[in-house]
Amino acid sequence: MLLGATFSHCLPCASHNVIFVAAEFVGLSFRRTVGIIYQLAFTVGLLILTAVAYVLPHWRWLQLAVTLPNFFFLLYHWCLPESPRWLITQKQNDKAMEVIKRIAKGNKKQLPPSFQNLKSEDEDREKLKPSYLDLIRTPQIRKHTFILMYSWFTSSVLYQGLIMHMGLASGNIYLDFLYSALVEFPAAFILLLTVDRIGRRYPWAAAHVLTGGACLVTALVPDTLYWLKMTAACLGRMGITMCYEMVCLVNPELYPTSLRNLGVLICSSMCDLGGIMTPFIVYRLAELWHELPLVVFAGIAFVGGGLVLLLPETKGKTLPETIEDAENMHRQERSKENTVYLQILTSEAAPK
């Protein structure tokens, strides 16, 4: 029953910085692809975990095997540069230029001469010092924060809960876990085809509905139709995987640069809370009725599907740079791909 539970619980802790970096360092046209593809490494890890759990059936050795690799995250300090967007908001333009030149050199590109003079629109203002209150001070950001917190919580509870509930069912736990992990690949493929065509909100809401419906089918189908229950369970796993990948993609898109890392950190921390509560939800409710946790999961998923429709659409929009930009996202009816947030001062543009 430990299989997958510990590993899935580590997702927000290990990846919220990756989410932040993927959003800030990748251009608009590649944000979708990078934001979804990098999460396939998590799915590959689940497949490897199946083999590791089979070889190391004792839970202490399994826990040790999935924990020790986390020390490699210390290498982030030397591998990942600071975000140029964030450096500019902190009035550290020289450091931002160093990072930009390093990126250009790595991509074998030449920077335009005009990039030698770089500043933000708000250069004359004080250096931004984000605080926790900024996440709830203004109405739209407050709404985004609460919905994203619930989405992270829902994703954690359902993802980990479906894995734990699978451990309560009869059958080969290793094969069942392997089959359910394999459906995460088509989940990523579906999102790659839809989020830049349809948008973020509707596929996200549809994934919640798919998860909730699959949970109900799994709960109501008799045990004699085990193949049908397993199919519905796999569809539920695919749906909640899509929800997980969508919240990772959308979360940084809704916060301004000064609040982006803090917003992702606070919202994704609800994933940890969900991981703590999930065992109690699954095992306590299963004592009353074996399928009751799935019914609860369905209700949670349907509520989440309705809430994400209240978020603004971020398809084709540049990342907000200021709190005002984030507050006005719900009013934007057209893409702002041509909006320039970083002013390049050139001799031609200077007033004569």
Side-chain angles (χ1 to χ4, degrees), residues 123 131 173 265 306:
E123 190 177 66
S131 69
I173 181 62
L265 172 64

Side-chain angles (χ1 to χ4, degrees), residues 172-190:
N172 189 315
I173 181 62
Y174 299 102
L175 289 179
D176 290 348
F177 185 85
L178 177 65
Y179 298 150
S180 63
L182 288 173
V183 301
E184 296 193 6
F185 289 103
F189 182 71
I190 291 172

Side-chain angles (χ1 to χ4, degrees), residues 9-21:
H9 182 55
C10 291
L11 176 62
C13 305
S15 68
H16 91 266
N17 275 330
V18 181
I19 298 168
F20 173 74
V21 171

